Amino acid sequence: DPTSRLARHGLLCVEDEDRPFLTRALRVPDRVTAHLLGHDEPAPELAPYLLPAHPYPVPLAMQAGRALRSGARLLHLREHAPDTGASVAAAALAEVGLGAVVLDLTRVPEHPEPLALLRSACREALFGDAGLVAGPVEVLARTTPESLRALTTADVPVILTGHDSWD
């Protein structure tokens, strides 16, 4: 149902989920209201986990851009040099006219609600006409695989980066 889809992406909060469907209270999160009023600053709880996007246009970025243009919603870029994946991913998103919300996954497992934090990052990407770049993916694969699974079904393009191969 549309309500649960909006709630899953952090655009709507459903209160009293144990009540019958038509009697549940709905609430719009403060960040959604702020966005609708023109405030483009990311959610305060998300800001410490964001990194600046520095696009680095190399042939791999163009190849990833072609994959995004053809409809791919989830990509994994394996880094051969430390900290290069986010720059290549940002360039790939720029190839298709999207910005990049870059999320540092090294600290996400420390967050009391990693899944909520990842949903907030996806919401910021949606608000900013951007894709989500997140890495290193192996951190989530080891610590909170359910959070990683949520990224694979996001409504924005997601480019995961990391040093290891990932399935």
Side-chain angles (χ1 to χ4, degrees):
D1 81 84
T3 304
S4 61
R5 183 169 182 234
L6 291 171
R8 186 176 74 234
H9 298 294
L11 301 174
L12 185 68
C13 295
V14 179
E15 309 289 337
D16 309 319
E17 290 193 32
D18 56 327
R19 297 185 61 174
F21 181 73
L22 293 177
T23 63
R24 295 177 189 164
L26 303 177
R27 180 177 55 82
V28 177
D30 292 343
R31 176 62 188 113
V32 175
T33 304
H35 173 73
L36 293 173
L37 293 174
H39 301 284
D40 289 329
E41 292 297 315
E45 69 275 3
L46 180 63
Y49 299 89
L50 297 178
L51 299 172
H54 300 291
Y56 185 59
V58 294
L60 179 60
M62 292 177 212
Q63 183 180 6
R66 283 192 302 274
L68 291 168
R69 197 174 295 108
S70 70
R73 305 292 289 168
L74 176 66
L75 299 175
H76 176 254
L77 294 180
R78 186 170 176 203
E79 295 178 316
H80 296 287
D83 302 322
T84 57
S87 296
V88 173
L93 290 165
E95 282 282 316
V96 295
L98 296 174
V101 172
V102 182
L103 183 65
D104 178 10
L105 295 181
T106 58
R107 296 181 46 225
V108 170
E110 301 167 5
H111 192 275
E113 295 182 51
L115 185 56
L117 186 69
L118 294 174
R119 285 183 179 147
S120 180
C122 289
R123 182 180 60 208
E124 290 302 325
L126 184 65
F127 288 167
D129 196 24
L132 178 65
V133 177
V137 67
E138 49 271 5
V139 171
L140 283 188
R142 282 191 305 267
T143 58
T144 57
E146 65 280 355
S147 297
L148 179 58
R149 198 168 298 111
L151 287 178
T152 66
T153 60
D155 278 347
V156 296
V158 175
I159 301 178
L160 300 171
T161 65
H163 308 289
D164 300 335
S165 294
W166 177 67
D167 181 6

